[in-house]
Amino acid sequence: MSDHTRRVKTQWNSYVRPFDSFSDEEISGLLGFCSESTKVAEKFSGKKCFLAYGALLGLERSGKLIPHDFDIDVAIDCGLSTKDEVAELCRKLIIRFLDAGYEVKAKCFAQFFVLPPKHVKPRYKVEFFASWIEEDRFYLYFALPGVNIVDSLFPLKDVELEGHHFLAPKIPEDLLAATYGEDWKIPNPEFKYCMTPDRWAPFTSFFFSRNKKQWDEYYSEKGTSVQCDEDTNSDIDYTLNLPNSDAMCILDIGCGNGKAAIGLANKGHLVTAIDTSQVAIDQANIMADRNSILLFSAEVVNLYDIPEAEDFSSRNEGKFELIMANDLINHISPVGESMMFRLAFKTLSGNGALHISVPSHLLVESSLAAIAINPDKARGIAFYTRKISIETLENVAEEHGFSLVMTSVDNSSNSMNFGFQKVCNVSVLQIATSA
């Protein structure tokens, strides 16, 4: 008989229901959903998935789930990959799950929960973790920051856990020893993962919250002294040779403190502004109120946060005639760039235009020269910044349903402007599938 009231405290100070309070029917249902969602993940990603963490530990100890454990853990084998490639693969996978009707809960690209569609009961969930290989070392978010056990793990083998079939490492003992220590066979309900900064270091770029703190600090220091400027972006309406020069519905992605967006609203355009920084959005709203700007709204939208970005896209589908992303993609990673294009595709009207501006000194011709520079307080580097390959930018835009229609150089700001329009015969569903 199950006990729905029993809870245990986790290392992360949350209270959860352990498996020894589940009925046999609930355990079977959970494992069945795990098997189903694992197969779906493999179909969507083209990558194999295998048991890891507590699920693998229970399998090797007793052939059953650990009584005091509370969720099933599955690793995605991303193979030989960079961190950016891992993040992009997981981004695609999360979106494919969402598009297929599953519920997804996530705070980073390398770890996320998959649940059945919201109307389906009971609410089973499976936790997916990214794993990959760099320089012959194996990484498993969040416990293994590069260990020399690659030959012990692959090829994966077929296993059975309480009547359900999964994949597991070739030598499970080696993965368990690397994760839990050589005494992994001895049950220890008090076990805690080592969460020191040096062990977390390889994984911080996967967080949805990456660099938010730096931007909040930047706008806190900048303050709200910026006033509305009627000349701000005075020629933006015509930069892309839009067919309609009347008042437009405009979206500014990465608006900062909103000066450019408010300048456009001051000229009669209906402007929505979004940014990852709550401080910046608060300042934009203060500036709009101070200048009595009515055709303006601003909200926090984090491009890295897939559920948050998808919610904004759904609420504003096909709404905007012009979307601006100025001095933005050079401050977000490739996976953030993919999310920006996806959001733009879903929210741009059929004959609208996407305007992207990049500082000229950060543009390179070859993708081989497209390096990234991470924040470094010691060297005075406040933000993540990367050089953008023009060729790659055009290719990524095309993958997400856009065609490059114009480029121009803005000597006053030392930047290059790129104008994109939607490819008419590409649907959102095709973008979700191919991207």
Side-chain angles (χ1 to χ4, degrees), residues 123-199:
R123 305 300 295 150
Y124 295 126
K125 66 179 180 180
V126 176
E127 192 168 10
F128 286 88
F129 297 84
S131 73
W132 69 99
I133 300 168
E134 275 189 273
E135 297 180 353
D136 296 324
R137 302 188 74 82
F138 177 75
Y139 291 76
L140 173 62
Y141 186 91
F142 55 93
L144 299 181
V147 291
N148 188 22
I149 57 171
V150 174
D151 292 340
S152 300
L153 305 183
F154 305 102
L156 301 171
K157 66 178 182 180
D158 294 311
V159 296
E160 183 177 316
L161 176 60
E162 300 196 47
H164 296 267
H165 294 275
F166 299 96
L167 292 175
K170 180 176 66 175
I171 305 176
E173 297 87 347
D174 287 0
L175 178 57
L176 293 172
T179 306
Y180 299 103
E182 296 297 332
D183 61 346
W184 62 268
K185 292 183 181 180
I186 303 172
N188 178 14
E190 302 302 318
F191 173 82
K192 291 186 177 181
Y193 293 101
C194 178
M195 312 294 282
T196 57
D198 60 316
R199 292 184 67 86

Side-chain angles (χ1 to χ4, degrees), residues 56 122 161 199 212 231 271 284 305 313 331 336 367 392 402 415 426:
L56 184 64
L161 176 60
R199 292 184 67 86
K212 284 174 67 73
D231 293 328
V271 182
D305 189 327
S313 298
H331 284 307
S367 60
T392 301
F402 286 96
S415 63
V426 177

Side-chain angles (χ1 to χ4, degrees), residues 214-285:
Q214 289 93 332
W215 285 108
D216 281 343
E217 291 175 348
Y218 171 79
Y219 286 108
S220 292
E221 294 172 0
K222 195 179 184 81
T224 58
S225 60
V226 179
Q227 299 296 316
C228 177
D229 181 357
E230 291 189 2
D231 293 328
T232 299
N233 284 341
S234 59
D235 62 346
I236 191 89
D237 308 47
Y238 313 103
T239 302
L240 301 176
N241 298 316
L242 293 175
N244 180 8
S245 61
D246 297 330
M248 292 185 294
C249 193
I250 299 174
L251 172 65
D252 187 357
I253 305 177
C255 65
N257 63 12
K259 180 180 179 182
I262 291 173
L264 289 169
N266 195 42
K267 287 179 278 186
H269 299 292
L270 180 61
V271 182
T272 299
I274 61 175
D275 197 278
T276 187
S277 169
Q278 181 69 62
V279 175
I281 292 300
D282 289 345
Q283 291 180 358
N285 284 320

Side-chain angles (χ1 to χ4, degrees), residues 78-89 132-134 206:
C78 300
L80 187 63
S81 301
T82 66
K83 294 178 183 64
D84 282 338
E85 290 169 341
V86 171
E88 179 64 4
L89 185 147
W132 69 99
I133 300 168
E134 275 189 273
F206 293 114

Side-chain angles (χ1 to χ4, degrees), residues 34-35 38 55 64 71 80 112 115 136 145 152 215 217 223 240-241 249 265 277 330 339 386 416 419 429 431:
C34 181
S35 177
T38 298
K64 296 184 178 181
D71 61 9
L80 187 63
F112 53 91
L115 297 84
D136 296 324
S152 300
W215 285 108
E217 291 175 348
L240 301 176
N241 298 316
C249 193
S277 169
N330 43 287
M339 284 304 299
R386 67 188 175 102
M416 178 171 284
L429 180 60
I431 294 301

